[in-house]
Amino acid sequence: MFKEVIEEMKQRVYQANMQLPQLGLVKLTWGNVSEINREAGVIVIKPSGVNYKDMTPEKMVVTDLKGNVVEGEKLRPSSDLATHVVLYEQMPDVQAIVHTHSTNAVMWAQAGRDLPSYGTTHADAFFGSVPCTRQLTNEEVINQYEENTGKVIVETFRERNIQPTEVPGVLVYGHGPFTWGDTPKKAVENSLILDEICVMARETEQINHKISAIPQYLLNKHYFRKHGDTAYYGQS
Amino acid sequence: MFKEVIEEMKQRVYQANMQLPQLGLVKLTWGNVSEINREAGVIVIKPSGVNYKDMTPEKMVVTDLKGNVVEGEKLRPSSDLATHVVLYEQMPDVQAIVHTHSTNAVMWAQAGRDLPSYGTTHADAFFGSVPCTRQLTNEEVINQYEENTGKVIVETFRERNIQPTEVPGVLVYGHGPFTWGDTPKKAVENSLILDEICVMARETEQINHKISAIPQYLLNKHYFRKHGDTAYYGQS
Amino acid sequence: MFKEVIEEMKQRVYQANMQLPQLGLVKLTWGNVSEINREAGVIVIKPSGVNYKDMTPEKMVVTDLKGNVVEGEKLRPSSDLATHVVLYEQMPDVQAIVHTHSTNAVMWAQAGRDLPSYGTTHADAFFGSVPCTRQLTNEEVINQYEENTGKVIVETFRERNIQPTEVPGVLVYGHGPFTWGDTPKKAVENSLILDEICVMARETEQINHKISAIPQYLLNKHYFRKHGDTAYYGQS
Amino acid sequence: MFKEVIEEMKQRVYQANMQLPQLGLVKLTWGNVSEINREAGVIVIKPSGVNYKDMTPEKMVVTDLKGNVVEGEKLRPSSDLATHVVLYEQMPDVQAIVHTHSTNAVMWAQAGRDLPSYGTTHADAFFGSVPCTRQLTNEEVINQYEENTGKVIVETFRERNIQPTEVPGVLVYGHGPFTWGDTPKKAVENSLILDEICVMARETEQINHKISAIPQYLLNKHYFRKHGDTAYYGQS
């Protein structure tokens, strides 16, 4: 049964990885998706630098909760695995993580700015600004860079008192977006939404230089229309 | 025969809904199309939050003119139904309505600005600026939000004395576009045009910061070349 | 043989029209291509407002050199025919004309600015700035609007002493681009190039607000590398 | 065996050329790829101005190291061959070269600015700013223009002490990008990356007017994560 669980995770992680180039979120090999099963004690993640056309569910790499490869040793896991591990450790409600270099989200990450909630498209998925981390220091980059990337994300959410389940994504300064969710599919969907609201926000500012975020009551309305006990969007 | 009428409406509403992602106007499930038949006393609308690939004509939801589901009770109607109902009540010449979060129209809605008529592409379909509503108040959002969205659209057209048949679309502040027409197909076409003139207008302002709307006589010429008794565009 | 000539023209005009949506230059029915054969005394042009999926070579409309329909009377010619007729009369070296509302060229036309030659992509096809006409007057719009559109294009080239063969396109103020060439295929190619250099120029100005056109010697080099007796690009 | 070497080069050069329009980097015939084999004494390059749909591996042109055609004399080599020859002579570690007019890289070339390294997407492939050459002089354009284009690229790298292997691409002022690599495939990949970081950088500056390049330590980390003896990205 443990084996079945892992096979299903591989299938889901594979499918979600394949979605990334199809949705235009990833060029070349610039992205990775993982899923965790804390009870089974495993993380499944994309192998590093493998072309999408050569990928199969079998090539997904299985690690323990510390990121040590336990299966599929022929292929190295994504070089960003250590970031995923830190996020899974520190964000217990997160089940799946996606990292991309999607064009529009990278622009904001490179600009080093939080993404303001300028409209309901944003509010439907992210309950408030999507934060941009601080720049990593020299020391944080030289040693355990990927681990420290995870740590600065966690720090950002803690210091600003943001719930990862309510704002399922982040912009890493000078780098790009990470998003998460209950399933690999949902985490990919959040990547798609984040990229879309990044382009919307950028051009909103061009059209009206003085625009400000939508009022809190509209943010509340749209977020809770789709999330939590009061949700009434979609089929029950 | 009543049944036939509804079956045909379902087909048209289904086809129009399916057009939205194909035309690049909708990502995920962010859009909905409806059609009204006032004599038959019915509205047909997309179900809420159903994936496009899972949609069929049979899944379209049928309601009465107040928005009460009369058929297809297994699926909830689009959460924006109440907006459609208000528009149908207050705009008697409107037969079909489309709502999307299309990228370029959302940018203008988020920027909170009317869309000026900068050229003939605009004038061919919209007889003057496409208005942006005011922001909804806290009270309007907390209770009957979707209904109040319809009301603020109607208010906008009344206060500015705009004919919905002449300007078949609107930008809802901080949210996105609604368009309409004689048929679901025509309402979708107006969504496509609105999104296109939104991107054109945005970049027109970047290229020339001092540009102003086209003169009224050119607006008249192009609009009436395609609409009304004097139209001479297309096949008679 | 006359009949054969016309059949071939219909084929070419049809093929060129079909290229427009495939190249992303036209949405809905917003474009038209025509070809002239002055010896045979005919112009072949797209019918007005017909969907691309319903088009066939047989539906192309044949007119005399004044634009009177001589064949295919069941379908009206493009409403822009009168513009084409004026251009063919006043620009004897032009054999085919294309009109579109392609997104990037419309932006410049709406901005009312000439398109400067910022690089060799421009210089390879257009020997200098692509001019933007003046705004048409109220009288010019009310009567013989399409004819006057042709006249203001001719006026623009005459007053500025630009050769239509060297600058095979124009931006009509507040409207959009017309391009031309030796064949319908070449005229479509010039539409594609014009749209591409419009987006390049727009963003060039964003990246460097102080940029100016390339020097005349580079313009000369690139234009004559591809055109005239000194051309050495392509296969002889 | 010599013949086999050339056949394989033709295949690779053909495949790489065909990738350009598929990746959206080339419109019409605006691009070319070449490969050199210094031991065999040959360069293989795309023919000039041939449509991509008409191309075959057999149509690739074979020249000696000076650019004299030695095979395939029925077709002229790309008009940019002389630029490739100079680069191959002066950059001994370069095995393949790509030239395109890709939209976003041309914008920067036309703007006459170096492309700053605003993020890790840039740093993963280019170890520092991608330089923009100076403008060519009148004399350099009139005679041996293509050769002088190669020379100004070489001059740019020498004067600024940039290693072509570390920054595998350049923006030619008022013209467009050249990129290179160990193989035609890698050189095309660098064209894709260069175009992508050009659009990212452009919009990064729009979102934050005061942004500056990423710190050197982050540039080092990302570049050496993927290149050289310390690389740990991808499968070994």
Side-chain angles (χ1 to χ4, degrees):
Chain A
M1 199 187 105
F2 175 77
K3 197 171 169 181
E4 260 177 46
V5 165
I6 291 185
E7 290 312 307
E8 286 171 21
M9 289 175 75
K10 283 182 175 178
Q11 275 290 345
R12 282 193 299 267
V13 170
Y14 166 74
Q15 296 289 351
N17 272 296
M18 296 307 284
Q19 277 282 295
L20 297 179
Q22 287 164 25
L23 292 169
L25 297 172
V26 159
K27 290 188 159 62
L28 300 169
T29 61
W30 303 345
N32 45 71
V33 183
S34 73
E35 183 181 355
I36 193 169
N37 185 321
R38 289 180 178 81
E39 292 175 14
V42 291
I43 294 170
V44 175
I45 193 166
K46 204 194 77 164
S48 180
V50 171
N51 286 327
Y52 284 93
K53 66 175 176 51
D54 300 330
M55 241 185 274
T56 60
E58 294 72 37
K59 288 186 180 166
M60 299 301 109
V61 181
V62 183
T63 78
D64 64 21
L65 299 185
K66 296 292 179 195
N68 302 304
V69 177
V70 296
E71 196 197 303
E73 301 193 33
K74 281 173 291 182
L75 291 173
R76 284 187 204 165
S78 166
S79 59
D80 294 309
L81 171 61
T83 310
H84 294 235
V85 168
V86 171
L87 297 183
Y88 284 130
E89 283 174 357
Q90 303 296 321
M91 297 177 167
D93 294 327
V94 168
Q95 314 298 336
I97 296 172
V98 174
H99 172 52
T100 75
H101 285 224
S102 73
T103 313
N104 299 292
V106 166
M107 290 167 187
W108 280 88
Q110 291 190 161
R113 286 184 53 199
D114 293 358
L115 180 74
S117 53
Y118 285 133
T120 62
T121 315
H122 183 122
D124 281 338
F126 294 89
F127 189 49
S129 296
V130 178
C132 184
T133 69
R134 63 168 171 81
Q135 178 83 266
L136 289 177
T137 65
N138 189 0
E139 283 70 33
E140 288 169 329
V141 167
I142 289 177
N143 294 308
Q144 278 77 49
Y145 168 60
E146 291 82 4
E147 187 180 330
N148 287 327
T149 299
K151 285 182 178 171
V152 80
I153 294 171
V154 171
E155 172 195 311
T156 302
F157 278 67
R158 290 228 176 109
E159 288 197 352
R160 306 202 200 177
N161 201 24
I162 306 171
Q163 300 304 315
T165 49
E166 294 184 347
V167 178
V170 70
L171 301 166
V172 176
Y173 194 110
H175 189 155
F178 283 80
T179 62
W180 44 81
D182 284 347
T183 61
K185 188 184 171 191
K186 187 70 190 167
V188 168
E189 193 175 303
N190 286 332
S191 278
L192 177 69
I193 298 171
L194 179 54
D195 198 67
E196 180 71 3
I197 57 180
C198 279
V199 65
M200 287 172 166
R202 184 185 79 222
E203 300 301 331
T204 296
E205 294 186 348
Q206 297 289 320
I207 297 169
N208 186 345
H209 299 298
K210 296 175 187 164
I211 197 66
S212 51
I214 55 173
Q216 185 67 36
Y217 59 82
L218 185 58
L219 185 64
N220 290 345
K221 181 69 185 185
H222 267 266
Y223 186 76
F224 293 113
R225 205 166 83 135
K226 284 201 169 178
H227 301 87
D229 296 345
T230 56
Y232 59 94
Y233 180 91
Q235 307 301 325
S236 57
Chain B
M1 198 187 104
F2 175 75
K3 196 171 172 182
E4 260 176 49
V5 164
I6 291 185
E7 289 313 307
E8 285 171 20
M9 288 175 76
K10 283 182 175 177
Q11 275 291 345
R12 281 193 298 267
V13 170
Y14 166 73
Q15 296 289 351
N17 272 296
M18 295 307 282
Q19 278 283 296
L20 296 178
Q22 287 165 24
L23 292 168
L25 297 171
V26 159
K27 289 188 159 63
L28 301 169
T29 61
W30 303 344
N32 45 71
V33 182
S34 73
E35 183 181 353
I36 193 170
N37 183 321
R38 290 180 177 81
E39 292 175 14
V42 291
I43 293 170
V44 175
I45 193 166
K46 203 195 79 163
S48 181
V50 171
N51 285 329
Y52 285 93
K53 67 175 176 53
D54 299 330
M55 242 185 274
T56 60
E58 294 72 37
K59 288 186 181 166
M60 299 300 108
V61 181
V62 184
T63 78
D64 64 19
L65 299 186
K66 296 292 178 195
N68 302 306
V69 176
V70 297
E71 197 197 303
E73 301 193 32
K74 280 173 289 182
L75 290 173
R76 284 187 203 165
S78 165
S79 59
D80 294 308
L81 171 62
T83 310
H84 293 236
V85 168
V86 171
L87 296 182
Y88 284 131
E89 283 175 356
Q90 303 295 321
M91 297 179 168
D93 294 327
V94 168
Q95 314 298 336
I97 295 172
V98 174
H99 172 51
T100 75
H101 285 225
S102 74
T103 313
N104 298 294
V106 166
M107 290 166 186
W108 280 88
Q110 290 190 162
R113 285 184 53 199
D114 293 357
L115 180 74
S117 53
Y118 285 132
T120 62
T121 315
H122 182 123
D124 281 337
F126 294 88
F127 189 49
S129 295
V130 178
C132 184
T133 69
R134 63 170 171 80
Q135 179 83 266
L136 289 177
T137 65
N138 189 0
E139 283 71 33
E140 289 169 329
V141 167
I142 289 176
N143 294 308
Q144 278 77 48
Y145 168 60
E146 291 82 5
E147 187 180 330
N148 287 326
T149 298
K151 285 182 178 172
V152 81
I153 294 172
V154 172
E155 172 195 312
T156 302
F157 277 67
R158 291 230 175 108
E159 288 197 351
R160 305 203 199 176
N161 201 24
I162 306 171
Q163 300 304 316
T165 49
E166 294 183 347
V167 178
V170 69
L171 301 166
V172 176
Y173 194 110
H175 189 155
F178 284 80
T179 63
W180 44 80
D182 285 347
T183 60
K185 188 185 169 190
K186 188 70 190 167
V188 168
E189 193 176 301
N190 286 332
S191 279
L192 177 69
I193 298 171
L194 179 54
D195 198 67
E196 180 70 3
I197 57 179
C198 279
V199 64
M200 286 171 167
R202 183 184 80 222
E203 300 302 332
T204 296
E205 294 186 348
Q206 298 290 320
I207 297 169
N208 186 345
H209 299 299
K210 296 175 188 164
I211 197 67
S212 51
I214 55 172
Q216 185 67 35
Y217 60 81
L218 186 57
L219 186 63
N220 290 345
K221 180 69 186 184
H222 267 266
Y223 186 75
F224 293 114
R225 205 166 83 135
K226 283 201 170 179
H227 301 86
D229 296 344
T230 56
Y232 58 94
Y233 180 91
Q235 307 301 325
S236 58
Chain C
M1 201 186 103
F2 175 76
K3 197 171 170 181
E4 259 176 47
V5 165
I6 292 185
E7 290 312 308
E8 286 171 20
M9 288 174 76
K10 283 182 175 178
Q11 276 290 346
R12 282 193 298 268
V13 171
Y14 166 74
Q15 296 289 351
N17 272 296
M18 296 307 283
Q19 278 283 296
L20 297 178
Q22 287 165 25
L23 292 169
L25 297 171
V26 159
K27 290 188 159 60
L28 301 169
T29 61
W30 303 344
N32 45 71
V33 183
S34 73
E35 183 181 354
I36 194 168
N37 185 321
R38 289 179 177 83
E39 292 175 16
V42 292
I43 294 170
V44 175
I45 193 166
K46 204 194 78 163
S48 181
V50 171
N51 285 328
Y52 284 94
K53 67 175 176 50
D54 300 328
M55 242 186 273
T56 60
E58 293 72 37
K59 287 186 181 166
M60 300 300 108
V61 182
V62 184
T63 78
D64 64 19
L65 299 185
K66 295 292 179 195
N68 302 306
V69 176
V70 296
E71 198 198 302
E73 301 194 32
K74 280 173 290 182
L75 291 173
R76 282 187 206 166
S78 164
S79 58
D80 295 309
L81 171 61
T83 310
H84 293 236
V85 168
V86 171
L87 296 183
Y88 284 130
E89 282 175 357
Q90 303 295 322
M91 297 178 168
D93 294 328
V94 167
Q95 314 298 337
I97 296 172
V98 175
H99 172 51
T100 75
H101 286 225
S102 74
T103 312
N104 299 293
V106 166
M107 290 166 186
W108 280 88
Q110 291 191 161
R113 285 183 54 200
D114 293 357
L115 180 74
S117 53
Y118 285 133
T120 62
T121 315
H122 183 123
D124 281 337
F126 295 88
F127 189 49
S129 296
V130 178
C132 184
T133 69
R134 64 170 171 80
Q135 178 84 264
L136 288 177
T137 65
N138 188 0
E139 284 70 33
E140 289 170 329
V141 167
I142 288 176
N143 295 309
Q144 278 75 49
Y145 169 59
E146 291 82 6
E147 188 180 329
N148 287 326
T149 298
K151 285 182 178 171
V152 80
I153 294 172
V154 172
E155 172 194 313
T156 302
F157 277 67
R158 291 229 175 108
E159 288 197 351
R160 305 202 200 178
N161 201 24
I162 305 171
Q163 300 305 316
T165 48
E166 294 183 347
V167 178
V170 69
L171 302 166
V172 177
Y173 194 110
H175 189 157
F178 283 80
T179 62
W180 44 81
D182 284 346
T183 60
K185 189 184 169 189
K186 188 69 192 170
V188 168
E189 193 176 302
N190 286 332
S191 278
L192 177 69
I193 298 171
L194 179 53
D195 198 67
E196 180 70 3
I197 57 178
C198 278
V199 64
M200 286 171 167
R202 184 184 79 221
E203 300 301 332
T204 296
E205 293 185 347
Q206 297 289 320
I207 297 169
N208 186 346
H209 299 298
K210 296 176 188 163
I211 197 66
S212 51
I214 56 172
Q216 185 66 37
Y217 60 81
L218 186 58
L219 186 63
N220 290 346
K221 181 70 186 182
H222 268 266
Y223 186 74
F224 293 114
R225 205 165 82 135
K226 283 202 171 179
H227 301 86
D229 296 344
T230 54
Y232 59 93
Y233 181 91
Q235 306 302 325
S236 57
Chain D
M1 199 187 104
F2 175 76
K3 197 172 170 179
E4 260 177 47
V5 165
I6 291 185
E7 290 312 306
E8 286 171 20
M9 288 174 76
K10 283 182 174 178
Q11 275 290 344
R12 282 193 299 267
V13 171
Y14 166 75
Q15 295 290 350
N17 272 296
M18 296 307 283
Q19 277 283 297
L20 297 178
Q22 287 165 24
L23 292 168
L25 297 172
V26 160
K27 291 188 159 60
L28 301 169
T29 60
W30 303 343
N32 46 70
V33 183
S34 74
E35 183 181 354
I36 194 169
N37 185 321
R38 290 180 177 81
E39 292 175 15
V42 292
I43 294 170
V44 175
I45 193 166
K46 204 194 77 163
S48 181
V50 171
N51 285 328
Y52 284 94
K53 66 175 176 51
D54 300 329
M55 242 186 273
T56 59
E58 294 74 37
K59 288 186 180 165
M60 299 301 109
V61 181
V62 183
T63 78
D64 64 20
L65 298 185
K66 295 291 178 194
N68 302 305
V69 177
V70 296
E71 196 197 302
E73 300 193 34
K74 280 174 290 183
L75 291 173
R76 283 187 204 164
S78 165
S79 58
D80 295 309
L81 171 61
T83 310
H84 294 235
V85 168
V86 171
L87 297 182
Y88 284 131
E89 282 175 358
Q90 303 295 322
M91 298 177 167
D93 294 328
V94 168
Q95 314 298 337
I97 295 172
V98 174
H99 172 52
T100 75
H101 286 224
S102 74
T103 313
N104 299 294
V106 166
M107 290 166 187
W108 280 88
Q110 291 190 162
R113 287 183 53 199
D114 293 358
L115 179 75
S117 54
Y118 285 133
T120 62
T121 315
H122 183 123
D124 281 337
F126 294 88
F127 189 49
S129 295
V130 178
C132 184
T133 69
R134 63 168 172 82
Q135 178 84 264
L136 289 177
T137 65
N138 189 0
E139 283 71 34
E140 289 170 328
V141 167
I142 288 177
N143 294 307
Q144 278 76 49
Y145 169 59
E146 290 82 5
E147 188 180 330
N148 287 326
T149 299
K151 284 182 179 172
V152 80
I153 294 171
V154 172
E155 172 195 312
T156 303
F157 277 67
R158 291 231 174 107
E159 288 198 350
R160 305 202 200 178
N161 201 23
I162 306 171
Q163 300 305 315
T165 48
E166 294 184 347
V167 178
V170 69
L171 302 165
V172 176
Y173 194 109
H175 189 155
F178 283 80
T179 62
W180 45 81
D182 284 347
T183 61
K185 188 185 170 189
K186 188 69 190 169
V188 168
E189 193 176 302
N190 286 333
S191 278
L192 177 69
I193 298 170
L194 179 54
D195 197 67
E196 180 70 3
I197 58 179
C198 279
V199 64
M200 286 171 167
R202 184 184 80 220
E203 301 302 332
T204 296
E205 294 185 348
Q206 297 290 319
I207 297 168
N208 186 345
H209 299 298
K210 296 175 189 163
I211 196 67
S212 51
I214 55 173
Q216 185 66 37
Y217 60 81
L218 186 56
L219 186 64
N220 290 345
K221 181 69 185 183
H222 267 266
Y223 186 75
F224 293 113
R225 205 165 83 135
K226 284 201 171 179
H227 300 87
D229 296 345
T230 55
Y232 58 95
Y233 181 92
Q235 307 301 326
S236 56

